[in-house]
């Protein structure tokens, strides 16, 4: 392992040199090749824009409606309530009017700082964050330094996306002896009218009460209105103000209009310094779960970028889950897939178990819908949907066959529930949350198999992890996950002193894992060696423990590696890295770890270019580093080697040496 690290450091040193492992910087921003980054707190996601003082979209977790793509629900884009305009000496500032334009993501404090010069007149700095301690509220801090005598006109803008209906704009001022509170508010209906959505913002001024600028409200049309003020600045003078912005929907509150305004008032009267302090304290607590590769700031930054997105998209003490694209937009319609349980959940389980529990709570609350889904397909127990959104029913577009046939998702849910108990040892949670799900998952698989004789309890007509093979029989990963889920349900019953259904182990023992004549695991009954999308068979060795002997693991790797699609998703390459690490082949592990992280190198280019993959692929290096069988764990001065299956407490800092 020591040799591996030295090679690793040498290979990436020039790539990592000169950048903080906590920062991602873009200083040659090209709007035609810009993807952006997301500021999020597990509820509100704010996607950055190439245009100064603007953001692209604002996404509200847990709020879905039917619009745009696929005839299925989409996560809801809410009002863009954090945009700003700026006039300097009466001229509207746009991309052509600025220079020295830079955006910098500070992952440690979850803030995006934008800086630019307005000719020779002013320097502008804007820092934005989706406040961690206030789930529905954002804070933007604007600092303008005058290089000459100038008049500035900052404008706080609320804009409605085109799909919101019956939009109403409001402006009010609450006058108290000690404070004046300006409230800019918009309210509208989601495309079907099912949800009411509201957003509100307010200025925080540094001047004392009675000395702050006068606010002017301009109502341009139903889709946009703004609040602005004028300020004269002398050369060398710096002026600072802030904007707090809140958004909610009727998915969270019965009366979102009033609640958005109440939350904005609360944040405004908390003041900038208190908001910043509590936000930073919350992130400091979160970053106790950190991964640092000693001696290599570049790969440390990559892994932190992965963790930053996981931590930004998830939140403890909720029942929200994760889409493959998180809160970074409408990718995958904001739906929840197997990506959540198998790929994004494990690092959270080790580093932030309370966040991981929220992902499981999402599934538990939709157990009834999963049982109805099983019933409608002629099975018992619970059949979780391939794509899930608000109510837990199937939300896959009809043209995609994955919805009716990618049944391994149900096993993945069961797998995740048992792993939570293995890591935390929380028996009360197992009794009230884990067991109700695990027993229904086991019941599903016991009814799903076709009992064709000993060793032939077949699972036919499915789509496996390799989605390029449709409607096949006895898929390796599906069968392996079914066997695993059945056995985990049995273990859960024993832990709780409940007599398990003996049929569960009987069925698990008789579900086949097919092989070729030479002993290589066969992906499905008709697989003939064609190119595969991603890991399927290899998942049986990790994260499952279906295949454990080194000879078979190597044979399967040797057979399937040449058949991986070179442009396939990074998930498969992450698994290859884990397996080669387990086999002690560190050079090969390095190769596949770099394959994954190279997908992320766009993060360190001059701008954030658009790439076909999204944040789900950014999360994979964490899977490689955190979820190997063994890794070096350190907590303060304490250090020991820890086998993951036996971990009974979350460790908060991982140092790979």
């Amino acid at each position: 392992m020591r040799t591996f690290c030295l090679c690793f450091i040498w290979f990436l040193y020039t790539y990592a040199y000169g950048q903080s492992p906590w920062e991602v910087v873009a200083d040659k921003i090209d709007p035609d090749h810009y993807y952006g980054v997301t500021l999020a707190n597990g509820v509100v996601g704010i996607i950055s824009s190439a245009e100064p003082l603007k953001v692209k979209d604002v996404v509200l977790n847990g709020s879905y409606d039917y619009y745009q793509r696929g005839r299925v629900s989409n996560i809801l884009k809410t009002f863009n309530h954090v945009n700003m305009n700026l006039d300097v000496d009466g001229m509207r500032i746009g991309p052509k009017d600025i220079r020295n334009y830079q955006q910098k993501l500070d992952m440690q404090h979850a803030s995006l700082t934008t800086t630019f010069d307005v000719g020779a007149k002013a320097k502008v700095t804007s820092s934005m964050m989706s406040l961690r301690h206030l789930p529905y509220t954002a804070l933007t801090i604007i600092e303008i330094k005058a290089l000459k005598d100038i008049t500035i006109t900052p404008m706080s803008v609320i804009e409605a996306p085109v799909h919101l209906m019956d939009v109403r704009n409001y402006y009010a001022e609450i006058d108290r002896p000690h404070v004046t509170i300006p409230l800019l508010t918009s309210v509208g209906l989601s495309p079907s009218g099912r949800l009411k959505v509201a957003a509100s913002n307010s200025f925080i001024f540094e001047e004392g009460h009675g000395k702050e600028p006068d606010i002017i409200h301009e109502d341009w049309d139903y889709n946009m209105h703004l609040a602005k003020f004028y300020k004269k600045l002398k050369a060398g003078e710096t002026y600072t103000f802030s904007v707090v912005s809140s958004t909610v929907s009727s998915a969270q509150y019965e009366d979102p209009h009033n609640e958005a305004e109440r939350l904005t008032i609360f944040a405004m009267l908390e003041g900038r310094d208190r908001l910043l302090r509590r936000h930073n304290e919350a992130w400091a607590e979160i970053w106790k779960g950190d991964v640092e590769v000693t001696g290599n700031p570049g790969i440390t930054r990559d892994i932190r970028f992965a963790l930053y997105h996981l931590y930004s998209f998830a939140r403890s003490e909720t029942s929200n889950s994760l889409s493959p694209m998180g809160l970074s937009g409408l990718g995958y319609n904001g739906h929840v897939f197997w990506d959540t349980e198998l790929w994004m959940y494990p690092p959270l389980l080790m580093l932030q178990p309370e966040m991981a529990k929220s992902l499981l709570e999402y599934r538990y609350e939709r157990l009834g819908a999963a049982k109805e889904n099983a019933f409608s397909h002629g099975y018992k127990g619970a059949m979780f949907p391939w794509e899930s959104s608000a109510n837990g029913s199937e939300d896959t577009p009809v043209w995609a066959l994955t919805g009716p046939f990618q049944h391994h998702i149900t096993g993945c849910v069961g797998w995740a529930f048992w792993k939570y108990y293995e890591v935390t040892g929380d028996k009360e949670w197992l009794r009230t949350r884990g067991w109700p799900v695990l027993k229904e998952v086991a019941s599903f698989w016991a009814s799903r198999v076709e009992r064709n004789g000993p060793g032939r309890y077949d699972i036919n007509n499915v789509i496996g992890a390799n989605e390029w093979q449709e409607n096949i029989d006895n898929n390796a990963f599906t069968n392996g996950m079914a066997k695993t889920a059945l056995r985990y349900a049995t273990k859960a019953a024993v832990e709780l002193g409940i007599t398990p259904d003996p049929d569960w182990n009987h069925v698990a023992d008789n579900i086949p894992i097919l092989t070729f004549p030479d002993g290589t695991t066969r992906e499905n009954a008709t697989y003939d060696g064609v190119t595969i999308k991603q890991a399927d068979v290899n998942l049986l060795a990790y994260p499952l423990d279906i295949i454990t002997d080194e000879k078979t693991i190597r044979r399967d790797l040797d057979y399937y590696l040449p058949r991986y699609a070179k442009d396939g998703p990074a998930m498969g390459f992450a698994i290859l890295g884990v397996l080669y690490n387990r086999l002690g082949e560190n050079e090969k592990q390095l190769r596949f770890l770099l394959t994954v992280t190279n997908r992320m190198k766009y993060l360190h280019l001059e701008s954030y270019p658009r790439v076909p993959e999204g944040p789900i692929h950014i999360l994979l290096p964490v899977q490689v580093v955190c979820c190997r069988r063994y890794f070096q764990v350190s907590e303060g001065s304490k250090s020991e080697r820890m086998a993951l299956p036996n971990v009974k407490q979350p460790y908060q800092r991982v140092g790979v040496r």
Side-chain angles (χ1 to χ4, degrees), residues 143-146 233-234 236-240:
E143 180 181 282
I144 302 172
K145 181 179 181 180
L233 300 180
K234 295 291 186 180
E237 184 180 359
T238 298
Y239 185 72
T240 302

Side-chain angles (χ1 to χ4, degrees), residues 243-319:
V243 178
V244 286
S245 312
S246 302
T247 183
V248 295
S249 81
S250 53
Q252 292 88 28
Y253 289 97
E254 183 177 348
D255 183 3
H257 180 173
N258 284 329
E259 194 60 36
E261 293 188 336
R262 291 187 191 103
L263 292 172
T264 296
I265 292 168
F266 175 80
M268 187 266 191
L269 292 179
E270 280 283 274
R272 182 193 67 181
D273 292 343
R274 284 172 61 85
L275 294 175
L276 270 177
R277 185 178 74 251
R278 293 192 62 193
H279 171 79
N280 290 336
E281 287 172 351
W283 272 100
E285 186 66 27
I286 290 170
W287 279 117
K288 289 180 180 178
D290 187 20
V291 176
E292 182 177 4
V293 180
T294 303
N296 196 294
I299 202 66
T300 296
R301 181 174 54 252
D302 287 345
I303 293 171
R304 282 177 177 159
F305 198 89
L307 286 173
Y308 165 79
H309 279 87
L310 275 175
Y311 295 164
S312 295
F313 297 159
R315 191 176 184 93
S316 61
E317 299 181 341
T318 72
S319 57

Side-chain angles (χ1 to χ4, degrees), residues 416-536:
F417 269 73
W418 178 249
K419 289 300 176 185
Y420 182 82
Y421 176 69
E422 275 194 323
V423 169
T424 67
D426 187 342
K427 190 163 286 189
E428 181 59 25
W429 177 91
L430 181 65
R431 186 184 313 279
T432 61
R433 291 296 192 267
W435 169 245
V437 171
L438 283 161
K439 71 177 180 180
E440 298 298 343
V441 167
S443 180
F444 167 76
W445 288 116
S447 71
R448 179 63 179 82
V449 300
E450 299 175 20
R451 305 187 185 214
N452 296 320
R456 289 296 311 280
Y457 281 25
D458 300 322
I459 302 176
N460 294 328
N461 199 21
V462 298
I463 297 175
N466 172 25
E467 295 172 327
W468 292 351
Q469 298 262 292
E470 297 180 329
N471 300 102
I472 40 87
D473 299 337
N474 286 324
N475 167 253
F477 178 66
T478 302
N479 286 20
M481 189 55 89
K483 292 164 76 77
T484 300
L486 285 159
R487 287 172 176 149
Y488 283 173
T490 297
K491 288 183 177 182
V494 172
E495 283 288 313
L496 294 172
I498 298 170
T499 302
D501 187 335
D503 189 50
W504 294 346
N505 271 341
H506 171 72
V507 171
D509 290 340
N510 284 280
I511 294 175
I513 302 295
L514 305 183
T515 60
F516 289 110
D518 69 348
T520 301
T521 306
R522 190 171 188 176
E523 188 181 280
N524 59 71
T526 52
Y527 181 72
D528 58 2
V530 298
T531 300
I532 60 176
K533 178 180 179 181
Q534 63 167 305
D536 193 299

